[in-house]
Amino acid sequence: MTDIRYQVFESSQVTDDMLQDAARLFNANYGVWGPQATTLNARLKEGEPVKMSVKMLRAKCLAPSHWTYVRATVDGILAGHAFVCRWEYPSGDDDDGNRSDKQQQQQHRICWITQLVVHREYRERGIATGMLRSVKKDDDEAYGIASSHPAACKAASRALSCESNPTDEAVTIVSVVYLASEHLSVNLCSDGIAQTDLEFIRDHAASILEASPVEYLKQANLHGSSFDNDSDSDSDSDRTISCVDTQFFVDHTEPLQALTFAEKEGWPLGKLLEGHEFLWVGRRKLTARERLHSLSVC
């Protein structure tokens, strides 16, 4: 039986050796620069791997105290990792669902996946889904990811928007290590990406990104029909629905191939433009116990 392990570390626990391994995994498996990469830096070349150094990973992924790192190993080999950040964002609604001013807005916690990478030899085995499920916390109220790859958005939707905990799917908790069976099902949750609540994204994406401590997210522009009030907007012609313009010109050949298959299964986020990433945001579903409690106090 294959030994799959998920290890979760808070930012203060992450060593330089861990980041060395993370950088090697990212540099070899993330992707390559696209034809417009020189827009970012004249020294970047189309087709070259997108790379991050240990210094860059620590600065961008572990600087604040509210970052978490999770890694997956298969028979002792590093097969994937994710960096997750949490912050508070204003809902914009009062307790009755009405819009309120900033002084009265209720704060909510979002868990955001800032980087998700799986080794090419270990993809389509539920590794990404397993990693993201292992970082869920009870006080998370929403989840989000910006990614050019449909598979990353689908993994986030499967792992984070369903109500089950890591122990629900034959996964044993040992300290910060989660042990999984060899064939971890990809369909861990009945609700998939097709059930994405676009109204929730429309209502909360702007306030979530504005409150983000992640600089590139804070500066990014929302794009797509979910955010356009003008019926004659560009998103009608480019068929985007929920995207964010991060000016990240990674090559889209592989993501567009994956998008072709995703669209056949019910893809809610629309098309993908150069320099853009899909934007998926979902609220945490209440567990059966929480639903019963909410009914009992009504």
Side-chain angles (χ1 to χ4, degrees), residues 194-206:
Q195 283 74 45
T196 294
D197 186 347
L198 292 174
E199 184 175 341
F200 182 79
I201 296 177
R202 180 199 67 198
D203 292 343
H204 298 283

Side-chain angles (χ1 to χ4, degrees), residues 89-94 97-101 105-106 108 204 207:
Y89 73 94
S91 67
D93 298 329
D94 59 24
N98 301 313
R99 303 302 293 178
S100 58
D101 59 37
Q105 288 176 1
Q106 186 176 3
H108 298 277
H204 298 283
S207 60

